[in-house]
Amino acid sequence: MSSFSPSKNHSYRSLIRKLLPWTFYAIIPLVFFRLYFYPCTVSHSNLILISSSPFSFSPSTLEEESAKETTPCDYTNGDWVRDERGPLYNGTSCGTIKEGQNCNSHGRPDMGYLYWRWKPKQCKLPRFDPDTFLRLLRNKHLAFVGDSMARNQLESLLCMLATASAPKLVYRDGEDNKFRRWHFDSHNIDISIYWSPFLVKGVEKSNAGPNHNKLYLDHVDERWAADMNGFDLIVLSIGHWFLHPAVYYKGDSILGCHHCPGLNYTEIGFYDVLRKALKTTLKTAIERRGGGSNGNGTKVILTTFSPSHFEGDWDKFGACPKTKPYQEGDKSLEGMDAEMRKIEIEEVEAAKLSAMQFDYLRLEALDVTKLSLMRPDGHPGPYMYPFPFANGVTERVQNDCVHWCLPGPIDTWNEILLEVIKRWDYQSIREE
Ligand SMILES: *[C@@H]1O[C@H](CO)[C@@H](O)[C@H](O)[C@H]1NC(C)=O
Ligand SMILES: *[C@@H]1O[C@H](CO)[C@@H](O)[C@H](O)[C@H]1NC(C)=O
Ligand SMILES: *[C@@H]1O[C@H](CO)[C@@H](O)[C@H](O)[C@H]1NC(C)=O
């Protein structure tokens, strides 16, 4: 646990100070990967998109073929296959790409990573259709809540939707664009992003404050949850922030900590903590949005853990050098990636059971861990900064092997998101 040497710690701190915190927070925990990367085999529970209650999206989509398949699709197992069509947008056509993820505009030379399509084994995953998405979300509010991976997924979605209808930025808060909202006038849709890297109440470590996070595991983070009544669909996405040093609270008592030398608390790791945070979050969503008096309730989707792909030191040339996806059998889901995903799937399944009595509440896991694991080629790497090799190749260069280039593999997450929404819509019509 304590192999984290002070000198390394120091150089990290000085590095971190230089970096945009909101871009880079997810990379810091990678130092801890080795500490927690122990092998463990995990059984894969499948993504089942059957539920017994009606979904109230507008009833005009009987033609949605892919939603009508009688066997629910398992999107988790499949292959990346070549697709000459390429992405719906590019780094110049979409205005809402975070600088650090705009890979081709930053000089990433290879384009091959843009020409792959995820092909589930047993069913078809259609290309993203922005018009269908907009139609199904008419008059709704979709909120993304979580860390920078939530933002990455949101920006992918906005770029794809923008090819059909222009989003208008109608709200942003002062600090780092952590809270933003767009409005689609064409369909009266709101799409927003809420920064909440733990979902539960927390105090993030900072240069000014403590050098560890504080998590209050029995309280949801009201920075987003206070607005919950206005959401029709919530996409939750967390994970990497749980790897940071942290102290965990429940009520007034301290449960323990993670990587907190000098604080004399019990090291409890972060797996149980993630589980507790999800339990609190999903329980709160069910309590607040389950009741019939809340009308149409809320649909909650949890995007599962997104693996990173560092090979060796993260600040070394070639930290994530691959230019092609892994193929079946090249790479298995294991260690921390598998464990984080398993906890997330289990907590969504548990929440589904406790929400069964509520007609209008639906929960689902958006299981992207495996398909993302197979895309080591999809990260910005050194192209998190513009033209990193303009003055020649250097041995030391900062790499982002956590977030995803836009366009890129993360667009697939939203293709699956659309399939979930289509299926719910189809079921709600069939059951009426
Ligand atoms: C990006 O997309 C726009 C609009 O579709 C197109 O005009 C432009 O040529 C594309 N740029 C690149 C570099 O492909
Ligand atoms: C650490 O905590 C234990 C148990 O609470 C206590 O007995 C011990 O004195 C503490 N050590 C230090 C250095 O504070
Ligand atoms: C539920 O949603 C439908 C369709 O969007 C809408 O017509 C209806 O008024 C809503 N019901 C309530 C109670 O909000």
Side-chain angles (χ1 to χ4, degrees):
M1 291 299 129
S2 54
S3 64
F4 191 64
S5 76
S7 63
K8 210 170 175 185
N9 196 359
H10 179 77
S11 66
Y12 253 83
R13 276 208 213 105
S14 60
L15 173 68
I16 287 156
R17 268 200 302 274
K18 286 186 227 140
L19 298 169
L20 288 176
W22 160 238
T23 313
F24 216 67
Y25 273 151
I27 294 179
I28 300 157
L30 289 155
V31 175
F32 302 105
F33 267 38
R34 249 169 263 155
L35 301 178
Y36 281 94
F37 199 82
Y38 47 82
C40 64
T41 22
V42 170
S43 67
H44 295 200
S45 85
N46 292 343
L47 178 65
I48 305 295
L49 299 177
I50 286 287
S51 174
S52 58
S53 57
F55 190 55
S56 57
F57 283 132
S58 60
S60 54
T61 57
L62 282 162
E63 75 280 12
E64 303 301 346
E65 283 304 321
S66 56
K68 281 201 246 173
E69 283 160 19
T70 45
T71 325
C73 181
D74 168 15
Y75 295 106
T76 56
N77 291 305
D79 275 306
W80 288 98
V81 297
R82 287 299 287 178
D83 182 3
E84 298 309 326
R85 288 174 299 180
L88 287 178
Y89 62 96
N90 64 40
T92 41
S93 66
C94 180
T96 28
I97 300 177
K98 172 97 184 155
E99 274 297 295
Q101 278 113 52
N102 204 333
C103 299
N104 293 103
S105 298
H106 279 183
R108 177 170 172 167
D110 63 308
M111 297 285 182
Y113 74 99
L114 297 173
Y115 297 88
W116 298 93
R117 177 170 62 82
W118 179 245
K119 192 174 174 308
K121 279 203 171 32
Q122 295 139 357
C123 49
K124 221 177 120 196
L125 179 59
R127 191 171 163 81
F128 188 86
D129 179 20
D131 292 311
T132 303
F133 196 99
L134 291 167
R135 182 161 48 76
L136 293 176
L137 265 288
R138 187 181 289 282
N139 301 326
K140 306 275 182 213
H141 185 169
L142 160 58
F144 284 83
V145 183
D147 58 17
S148 56
M149 214 55 78
R151 187 203 59 225
N152 208 176
Q153 184 180 356
L154 158 97
E155 292 188 350
S156 153
L157 180 65
L158 285 179
C159 286
M160 294 198 289
L161 294 178
T163 63
S165 176
K168 194 167 72 190
L169 183 65
V170 292
Y171 173 81
R172 72 202 288 177
D173 93 331
E175 193 207 347
D176 293 332
N177 288 336
K178 284 180 175 171
F179 301 85
R180 285 178 289 171
R181 179 171 305 159
W182 289 262
H183 188 74
F184 289 81
D185 290 342
S186 60
H187 296 76
N188 188 31
I189 294 168
D190 280 312
I191 297 187
S192 54
I193 177 89
Y194 288 77
W195 172 257
S196 182
F198 313 113
L199 299 179
V200 291
K201 190 177 151 194
V203 179
E204 292 150 35
K205 69 198 181 83
S206 67
N207 287 336
N211 62 1
H212 58 264
N213 298 317
K214 292 182 185 175
L215 275 71
Y216 299 87
L217 295 172
D218 51 353
H219 293 286
V220 74
D221 179 4
E222 294 295 346
R223 287 184 302 177
W224 68 273
D227 290 353
M228 204 189 293
N229 280 349
F231 302 156
D232 300 286
L233 182 58
I234 311 177
V235 176
L236 306 169
S237 181
I238 53 168
H240 290 271
W241 269 74
F242 284 78
L243 281 59
H244 289 280
V247 176
Y248 306 122
Y249 298 81
K250 189 174 184 193
D252 290 334
S253 60
I254 290 177
L255 291 178
C257 74
H258 168 56
H259 190 72
C260 59
L263 285 181
N264 200 19
Y265 302 135
T266 312
E267 166 70 50
I268 60 172
F270 52 79
Y271 289 141
D272 278 348
V273 171
L274 173 69
R275 191 183 289 284
K276 284 195 175 71
L278 289 171
K279 267 193 205 305
T280 298
T281 302
L282 297 175
K283 185 167 161 277
T284 307
I286 293 169
E287 281 167 6
R288 294 192 191 174
R289 302 300 288 144
S293 60
N294 281 334
N296 286 326
T298 300
K299 280 66 187 172
V300 181
I301 290 177
L302 177 69
T303 304
T304 61
F305 191 70
S306 178
S308 62
H309 292 92
F310 284 90
E311 301 176 22
D313 290 346
W314 67 280
D315 59 346
K316 195 167 181 301
F317 177 75
C320 41
K322 299 244 177 352
T323 54
K324 278 187 187 159
Y326 289 123
Q327 293 300 311
E328 170 103 69
D330 286 349
K331 186 90 182 160
S332 53
L333 185 55
E334 58 190 9
M336 190 192 69
D337 295 335
E339 189 63 21
M340 299 292 270
R341 171 190 172 275
K342 175 173 164 268
I343 291 164
E344 290 167 332
I345 301 267
E346 284 172 359
E347 288 310 312
V348 170
E349 292 306 314
K352 274 187 201 171
L353 284 180
S354 51
M356 250 164 62
Q357 52 178 310
F358 299 117
D359 277 353
Y360 293 105
L361 185 72
R362 291 229 174 152
L363 301 122
E364 198 54 78
L366 186 67
D367 188 358
V368 299
T369 305
K370 178 104 179 282
L371 66 91
S372 304
L373 178 73
M374 292 170 78
R375 292 307 304 270
D377 57 329
H379 301 289
Y383 300 99
M384 61 183 292
Y385 293 121
F387 301 95
F389 306 121
N391 300 315
V393 171
T394 49
E395 182 62 12
R396 290 285 149 190
V397 58
Q398 290 148 19
N399 286 278
D400 180 354
C401 308
V402 178
H403 299 101
W404 302 97
C405 291
L406 295 180
I410 197 168
D411 297 333
T412 299
W413 301 9
N414 290 318
E415 289 181 336
I416 301 174
L417 174 64
L418 175 52
E419 292 311 297
V420 174
I421 293 170
K422 275 156 75 171
R423 183 172 288 277
W424 278 339
D425 180 63
Y426 176 68
Q427 287 167 1
S428 73
I429 297 159
R430 203 176 39 182
E431 286 160 12
E432 261 163 19

